Amino acid sequence: MTDRLSAATLPRLPQSVATSAYDRQKVTPGIVHLGVGAFHRAHQAVFIDDCLNRGETQWGIVAASLRSPDTRDAIEPQDNLYTFCLRDGESERLRVIGSILETIVAPEDPERLVERLSDPRVLVVTLTVTEKGYLTNLASRSLLRDHPDILHDLDHPDRPRSIFGFILAATRRRRAEGSLPLTLLSCDNLPANGHVLRKLLLEFASLADKELAAFIETNIAFPCSMVDRIVPATTDEDRHSISAALGARDAWPVVAEPYFRFVIEDNFPHGRPALEKSGVEFVGNVEPYEHMKLRMLNGSHSAIAAIGQIAGLATVADAWGEKPVRDFIDAYWREINRTLDPAVDGAEFADGLRERFANPSLQHKTMQIASDASQKVPLRILAPLRELLEEKAESRTVIFAVALWIRSCADRDEKGQLITILDPAFKEWDAPDQLTMSPDAVVDRFLTFGRTFGEDLPENETFVSTLKAAYRNIRENGALGAIADF
């Protein structure tokens, strides 16, 4: 197979492959996306492709990576086209997405990204930069003012590195040129993500330009959102099978489950695409939905990922195939459900999660979910745990999930194999040697990791004693044995 997926090869694709009905040459940019990766290309970019197919051609996407050139290098030679594969059991549906007009690698050309953000046709900036991209202490929700990227952007505002530096540079330029203020839509798994983005941007702006900070405070909208779709990392097998079905080589397709949910606070002063026509929900208050998704799906995902890392279970489906895991997660959901708003049905949501977790065709790697866990655990697990502890409600299962995460941070799993830890923030910390230290000493050491646990939890006697007992159980009996016993 020599032909590469591109505008030239589109007419030769099989009829079973869905392609765009619009003329891409007539599409203009209306959105800049920061943090282009698999999730964006399997979620937001698909819905924008729907809008373009309906004739809303003013909402093309300029996609930017703030770090790696991998996505750009893969899809730019394909005219920024790629395949979206919906996979459920043995069936799959293929669709070529054309909503991304341009890909930028910010470190290579920061001015180019500032220019695109300053384009008066662009009205919305969306973000999927993950928790670590916000450069914040998630326990205190404050900006990491000593982070190298923050210090660099304060000293070199014309060559930014962080999301805050880029947004501030573009806002300064747009204001000078009389362009409409941007609307900033965070699509990351952060509670109240729009409020968090607003707080951190204002904190950064106050350090750099107090007058501009005042302008941002009164003129820029920060709608909150909740996103829900499982998008595993693309494998070489995915590339080969999808390229074979296309009859053309696609360097970086994306695979996703059919299920999705996208809930957005309807706060777009200067216009937005009609995403509701694709099933996106616009509401006045996103919080009940985001809490349910973050705590039920993402929290249990992190617990399953920890079990997988400890017990050598490579995928969510592998772990879900173990009855002790299913029983443990059911108990976890029952405790977490007490922290949800009555406006949402956590039990019904859990019913759907059981089916989604059992889908073997997704091959969702536990190692992928476990990446940056020290930044995810505070939001997904510790936030609802604090509420349970405050109410003196049952929380043993949630605390057990914390103990599982601690054990998953060891050098080796129960089979003696090295554990791959993709978590830069954790690796910067001086972690204890779990193989030589006593269980209680390991827990005591972890509780000094302030970026995860904050200052309050280490002082909570119920939490500490329950956590130590759970960790001892895991060390003595292994992950599956401990949760079966639990």
Side-chain angles (χ1 to χ4, degrees):
M1 185 184 304
T2 57
D3 287 341
R4 184 86 173 255
L5 176 64
S6 67
T9 59
L10 279 179
R12 302 198 295 272
L13 298 182
Q15 290 187 349
S16 60
V17 179
T19 57
S20 304
Y22 54 89
D23 182 353
R24 294 182 81 214
Q25 300 302 313
K26 295 181 180 179
V27 176
T28 55
I31 298 170
V32 171
H33 182 79
L34 303 180
V36 61
F39 185 82
H40 169 70
R41 294 191 296 125
H43 199 74
Q44 295 96 345
V46 175
F47 300 132
I48 295 299
D49 197 65
D50 290 344
C51 293
L52 301 180
N53 274 314
R54 291 191 293 262
E56 297 180 67
T57 55
Q58 74 275 32
W59 294 111
I61 299 170
V62 174
S65 169
L66 299 178
R67 292 290 182 265
S68 167
D70 292 351
T71 301
R72 188 274 315 274
D73 292 349
I75 70 173
E76 190 175 67
Q78 302 177 174
D79 300 319
N80 292 302
L81 299 170
Y82 63 92
T83 310
F84 171 57
C85 173
L86 274 185
R87 189 171 288 168
D88 186 16
E90 298 301 317
S91 67
E92 66 178 30
R93 287 169 283 164
L94 303 182
R95 171 180 171 185
V96 176
I97 303 299
S99 54
I100 294 179
L101 308 180
E102 178 184 8
T103 46
I104 296 172
V105 180
E108 294 179 2
D109 191 353
E111 172 57 24
R112 183 177 168 194
L113 178 53
V114 174
E115 286 179 358
R116 299 302 183 269
L117 288 164
S118 305
D119 185 333
R121 297 172 296 178
V122 170
L123 298 177
V124 177
V125 176
T126 56
L127 302 92
T128 53
V129 296
T130 75
E131 293 91 340
K132 66 181 178 182
Y134 290 80
L135 307 181
T136 180
N137 181 325
L138 292 170
S140 64
R141 298 292 180 85
S142 58
L143 191 70
L144 296 175
R145 296 189 179 195
D146 58 349
H147 192 283
D149 288 354
I150 296 297
L151 296 174
H152 172 275
D153 288 359
L154 292 173
D155 289 339
H156 308 283
D158 56 330
R159 289 182 283 118
R161 292 177 181 171
S162 71
I163 57 172
F164 309 113
F166 279 109
I167 293 170
L168 201 67
T171 299
R172 183 181 291 110
R173 191 172 300 183
R174 293 176 74 93
R175 186 185 182 200
E177 295 173 355
S179 300
L180 289 171
L182 293 165
T183 295
L184 305 180
L185 175 62
S186 170
C187 300
D188 284 296
N189 284 319
L190 296 166
N193 49 17
H195 302 318
V196 171
L197 177 59
R198 181 180 189 273
K199 178 181 182 298
L200 296 172
L201 179 61
L202 286 173
E203 185 176 350
F204 175 81
S206 69
L207 300 174
D209 186 333
K210 292 189 184 301
E211 182 182 354
L212 195 58
F215 174 83
I216 291 169
E217 188 168 16
T218 57
N219 290 277
I220 289 186
F222 299 81
C224 295
S225 74
M226 184 277 280
V227 293
D228 187 1
R229 172 172 257 162
I230 295 173
V231 182
T234 303
T235 66
D236 287 340
E237 183 179 350
D238 294 329
R239 291 183 179 88
H240 294 322
S241 65
I242 292 170
S243 295
L246 293 176
R249 185 165 59 91
D250 186 346
W252 212 329
V254 289
V255 177
E257 64 173 341
Y259 176 92
F260 77 85
R261 196 162 191 182
F262 195 6
V263 184
I264 306 175
E265 180 186 359
D266 202 357
N267 180 20
F268 293 79
H270 308 297
R272 62 166 176 80
L275 298 171
E276 65 271 21
K277 295 180 180 179
S278 294
V280 176
E281 302 166 68
F282 285 93
V283 299
N285 182 17
V286 174
E287 184 177 20
Y289 303 92
E290 69 183 12
H291 275 194
M292 181 173 67
K293 187 261 180 173
L294 188 68
R295 297 176 176 196
M296 298 286 283
L297 168 61
N298 297 124
S300 61
H301 252 172
S302 288
I304 290 170
I307 294 168
Q309 292 281 82
I310 301 166
L313 300 168
T315 70
V316 171
D318 290 340
W320 196 249
E322 302 285 344
K323 187 177 185 301
V325 175
R326 298 194 300 273
D327 292 344
F328 176 77
I329 296 300
D330 280 343
Y332 181 89
W333 284 331
R334 285 194 295 272
E335 290 184 3
I336 289 295
N337 195 29
R338 299 188 184 99
T339 73
L340 302 183
D341 191 292
V344 295
D345 190 335
E348 181 182 26
F349 187 61
D351 287 341
L353 291 178
R354 292 184 185 94
E355 183 177 345
R356 295 166 70 187
F357 288 175
N359 185 352
S361 64
L362 287 178
Q363 293 294 300
H364 200 185
K365 303 291 186 184
T366 52
M367 183 176 69
Q368 177 193 354
I369 299 168
S371 65
D372 299 312
S374 68
Q375 302 293 287
K376 296 173 179 176
V377 166
L379 302 172
R380 300 178 175 192
I381 298 176
L382 298 182
L385 174 61
R386 284 183 168 92
E387 296 176 16
L388 292 170
L389 291 170
E390 178 68 24
E391 296 172 5
K392 295 184 171 30
E394 181 60 58
S395 59
R396 292 186 308 123
T397 314
V398 180
I399 295 174
F400 208 100
V402 180
L404 287 165
W405 170 67
I406 291 175
R407 173 62 183 89
S408 74
C409 296
D411 291 334
R412 294 184 181 273
D413 66 18
E414 294 167 359
K415 299 176 181 179
Q417 303 299 312
L418 288 173
I419 295 178
T420 301
I421 299 177
L422 304 175
D423 190 341
F426 177 76
K427 288 188 173 182
E428 290 174 1
W429 182 61
D430 184 19
D433 183 350
Q434 297 194 40
L435 298 180
T436 61
M437 293 177 63
S438 71
D440 285 4
V442 169
V443 171
D444 285 335
R445 182 78 181 94
F446 263 82
L447 291 176
T448 67
F449 191 25
R451 286 182 62 175
T452 294
F453 291 102
E455 298 179 359
D456 58 325
L457 287 175
E459 300 299 322
N460 187 302
E461 293 182 5
T462 299
F463 168 70
V464 174
S465 62
T466 308
L467 180 63
K468 287 182 175 180
Y471 180 75
R472 285 196 299 270
N473 193 349
I474 296 165
R475 282 273 293 265
E476 292 169 6
N477 300 303
L480 297 180
I483 60 178
D485 176 62
F486 175 80

